[in-house]
Amino acid sequence: MKPRLAAFPKCYMDQLCVDHTMSVFEWIELASTLGVDGLEFYWGFLEDGLLEDSAGFLEKVKAALEKHHLAMPMLCCSPDFTQQDPLLLQKEIEREMRMIEITAFFGGRFCRVLSGQRRPELSREDGVAQVVRVIKGLLPVAEKHGVVLTMENHYKDNYWQYPEFAQKMDVFAEIVDQIDSPWFGVNYDPSNTILAGEDPLVLLERVKHRVVSMHASDRYLKSGTIDDLRKEENSVGYASRLSHGVIGRGMNDYDKIFSTLASVGFDSWVSIEDGLDGMEELRESVRFLREKIDQHFTD
């Protein structure tokens, strides 16, 4: 089976999560015109799902998806598992557990986990040990709900101060290699590897047998260099010089990426992170990825 396409509202994150000028229902209506198979949700616009009276809200969201024959295969969560305060860490764990439940409620298969922020006071050894311990502790919950935890080679959540603790390939692989479970895999994002100053194809070769889902993105720098970007990492959100672009026009080689994934039988979800400059760019990315999927994968 060929990979299926989902869309992620990168272009509307602040509207959905910060100023709330767009509802998840409005996003579903907009996205229903894209010709994708599903929508990847972000935990920040499902926060109402954490409330005690959340059942009615979640049922309405589910009905809106079903109206447009859209799946919700992936829930994009950003747990901060490098928290040093035990109470704050427990809150992160409990929220991730709830998001696993919500993923299952929507019939989704994948719920993202991250390592957390790369806090200056945290050593690599201690950080790796804590992240592995926490993720392993969540595996029984994931298994109970039939959900796979997907660890992304991440750059930085939109609303974090510090970049990802496991941003570099060697740290990411060290964590992934210690978690051997059918309820854990990799969500591969080629652009994030570029932002780490590394080769996305080298990382893919290293983890290709663990990849269970993918973020399709393309990045470019509006000005300066990767070194300039490094100097701006420790501020909330993304650096202003960084931009997502139409997929196929940036730094990634999707022929090599998809041929590698096809070689290991990948047939899961590819979620599109694009559209910062509007829906038409997102449509162009859909067209590009459909063409490449047809080229590299067979039914």
Side-chain angles (χ1 to χ4, degrees), residues 130-160:
Q130 178 167 306
V131 171
V132 170
R133 173 177 60 81
V134 171
I135 294 177
K136 283 185 174 180
L138 286 166
L139 290 174
V141 181
E143 181 177 7
K144 175 184 175 182
H145 293 284
V147 170
V148 178
L149 302 180
T150 58
M151 184 166 174
E152 183 178 340
N153 58 301
H154 201 228
Y155 165 59
K156 189 180 188 182
D157 184 81
N158 281 52
Y159 309 109
W160 281 3

Side-chain angles (χ1 to χ4, degrees), residues 7-17 22 27 34 40-42 45 76 78 112 152 154-159 189 192 195 215-219 237-238 242-245 271-279 282:
F8 184 83
K10 199 71 179 176
C11 44
Y12 300 118
M13 289 296 284
D14 283 350
Q15 293 95 317
L16 285 159
C17 302
M22 175 181 285
W27 162 241
L34 290 171
E40 179 185 12
F41 279 2
Y42 177 74
F45 54 81
C76 187
S78 296
R112 189 175 76 170
E152 183 178 340
H154 201 228
Y155 165 59
K156 189 180 188 182
D157 184 81
N158 281 52
Y159 309 109
D189 187 319
N192 289 338
L195 298 180
H215 278 167
S217 61
D218 239 342
R219 305 283 179 85
Y238 279 22
L242 175 67
S243 180
H244 283 69
S271 181
I272 305 167
E273 285 193 331
D274 180 29
L276 285 186
D277 293 320
M279 290 289 288
L282 194 47

Side-chain angles (χ1 to χ4, degrees), residues 34-285:
L34 290 171
V36 293
D37 308 297
L39 301 182
E40 179 185 12
F41 279 2
Y42 177 74
W43 73 269
F45 54 81
L46 286 178
E47 282 192 286
D48 287 346
L50 298 174
L51 304 176
E52 291 183 5
D53 60 348
S54 64
F57 168 74
L58 294 176
E59 288 287 357
K60 289 176 183 177
V61 176
K62 189 174 185 179
L65 288 168
E66 291 173 349
K67 173 185 173 183
H68 295 290
H69 308 288
L70 291 167
M72 200 299 293
M74 305 160 63
L75 185 52
C76 187
C77 301
S78 296
D80 192 356
F81 290 154
T82 60
Q83 284 281 3
Q84 296 301 283
D85 183 318
L87 293 178
L88 293 178
L89 177 60
Q90 185 59 33
K91 286 183 179 180
E92 296 290 329
I93 293 170
E94 290 173 0
R95 185 172 62 193
E96 185 73 16
M97 292 170 67
R98 176 58 178 150
M99 290 301 167
I100 292 169
E101 294 174 356
I102 289 175
T103 302
F105 170 83
F106 284 115
R109 179 65 172 166
F110 307 108
C111 185
R112 189 175 76 170
V113 293
L114 298 174
S115 60
Q117 299 186 62
R118 193 169 66 229
R119 294 176 166 82
E121 70 275 12
L122 183 63
S123 72
R124 170 171 172 168
E125 180 180 7
D126 289 345
V128 168
Q130 178 167 306
V131 171
V132 170
R133 173 177 60 81
V134 171
I135 294 177
K136 283 185 174 180
L138 286 166
L139 290 174
V141 181
E143 181 177 7
K144 175 184 175 182
H145 293 284
V147 170
V148 178
L149 302 180
T150 58
M151 184 166 174
E152 183 178 340
N153 58 301
H154 201 228
Y155 165 59
K156 189 180 188 182
D157 184 81
N158 281 52
Y159 309 109
W160 281 3
Q161 178 176 359
Y162 300 109
E164 182 78 20
F165 173 79
Q167 181 185 17
K168 290 290 188 177
M169 188 186 312
D170 58 341
V171 181
F172 179 77
E174 184 178 352
I175 292 171
V176 169
D177 288 347
Q178 292 185 55
I179 306 173
D180 183 13
S181 169
W183 304 106
F184 176 82
V186 168
N187 181 65
Y188 172 68
D189 187 319
S191 296
N192 289 338
T193 316
I194 293 172
L195 298 180
E198 298 173 331
D199 187 335
L201 295 174
V202 172
L203 175 64
L204 180 57
E205 190 62 33
R206 188 166 180 174
V207 300
K208 62 186 179 183
H209 294 287
R210 305 294 301 277
V211 175
V212 295
S213 60
M214 178 181 171
H215 278 167
S217 61
D218 239 342
R219 305 283 179 85
Y220 67 92
L221 293 171
K222 292 182 281 188
S223 63
T225 66
I226 291 290
D227 287 337
D228 294 325
L229 181 67
R230 294 279 175 276
K231 299 172 186 176
E232 301 173 6
E233 283 184 333
N234 292 344
S235 58
V236 175
Y238 279 22
S240 60
R241 69 176 69 250
L242 175 67
S243 180
H244 283 69
V246 174
I247 298 172
R249 298 183 188 174
M251 304 176 183
N252 287 309
D253 186 337
Y254 273 88
D255 286 310
K256 290 184 179 178
I257 290 168
F258 280 167
S259 63
T260 299
L261 288 172
S263 73
V264 294
F266 178 82
D267 61 357
S268 186
W269 285 88
V270 176
S271 181
I272 305 167
E273 285 193 331
D274 180 29
L276 285 186
D277 293 320
M279 290 289 288
E280 187 51 42
E281 287 196 354
L282 194 47
R283 289 188 179 91
E284 290 183 42
S285 292

